[in-house]
Amino acid sequence: MQSTLVLIKPDGVKRNLIGEILRRCEAKGYVIEDLKLFQPSRSLLEEHYAEHQGKPFFEPLIEFMLSGPTLACKLGGNRVIEGFRSIAGTTDPTTAAAGTIRGDLARDWGLNVQQNLVHGSDSEESAERELNLWFG
Ligand code: IDP
Ligand code: MG
């Protein structure tokens, strides 16, 4: 069994999509192991997104993530790390495949950051690191 960190970002919380996104995770067969709705600090977000420091979208991304509460979810199941990223869809919501969370529920709003509703850890190492950050 694996666990991954799923975040429902501030756009998803503001748009009342928590239920719809968690429904899709549960319908796929994954198990919600922990949940936390809160406003993360700048230092938590900068550590979470450390790999993107220096990129043009880094500061807009941090500002977006500071714009309201995020729902952090520890999601469990066999191969859940790749499985959640598959149901989330690709990063750019405009071109994310229909049937995915981003493809069905998000689009480009013409802002300098992609508001794409969710985050999912991208490897076992990231999942361990990120679950420690958000739930440790
Ligand atoms: P991921 O969330 O699909 O793993 P990453 O490349 O890790 O995508 O990027 C982290 C987040 O930063 C994205 O989910 C998105 O919100 C934002 N982002 C990534 N690339 C861009 C970009 O080129 N322009 C604006 N925002 C971006
Ligand atoms: Mg990523």
Side-chain angles (χ1 to χ4, degrees):
M1 283 284 277
Q2 275 183 342
S3 296
T4 193
L5 177 74
V6 170
L7 300 177
I8 301 182
K9 298 180 182 182
D11 55 335
V13 174
K14 284 200 186 91
R15 291 178 54 206
N16 299 321
L17 291 171
I18 289 175
E20 169 64 18
I21 292 168
L22 293 182
R23 186 196 66 74
R24 287 173 180 234
C25 294
E26 290 193 301
K28 179 83 171 171
Y30 299 128
V31 176
I32 295 167
E33 299 175 332
D34 208 345
L35 283 178
K36 191 153 82 173
L37 178 67
F38 72 117
Q39 169 63 69
S41 66
R42 174 174 282 269
S43 65
L44 168 55
L45 293 167
E46 287 183 348
E47 205 170 333
H48 174 77
Y49 280 123
E51 65 173 311
H52 296 304
Q53 290 234 11
K55 295 182 186 170
F57 62 85
F58 181 73
E59 188 53 33
L61 174 60
I62 299 298
E63 292 295 330
F64 162 52
M65 295 295 292
L66 284 169
S67 68
T70 283
L71 185 85
C73 174
K74 181 178 179 185
L75 192 67
N78 191 45
R79 297 178 65 196
V80 68
I81 297 170
E82 60 184 320
F84 176 76
R85 285 182 65 91
S86 170
I87 64 172
T90 50
T91 307
D92 180 351
T94 295
T95 53
T100 65
I101 292 166
R102 288 163 167 172
D104 288 350
L105 306 173
R107 68 171 170 93
D108 190 344
W109 302 92
L111 305 171
N112 50 9
V113 66
Q114 285 162 347
Q115 299 201 352
N116 54 12
L117 298 174
V118 291
H119 165 84
S121 308
D122 63 9
S123 65
E124 281 186 45
E125 300 70 45
S126 303
E128 194 185 336
R129 186 182 79 84
E130 294 172 1
L131 284 168
N132 259 318
L133 264 177
W134 291 78
F135 285 103

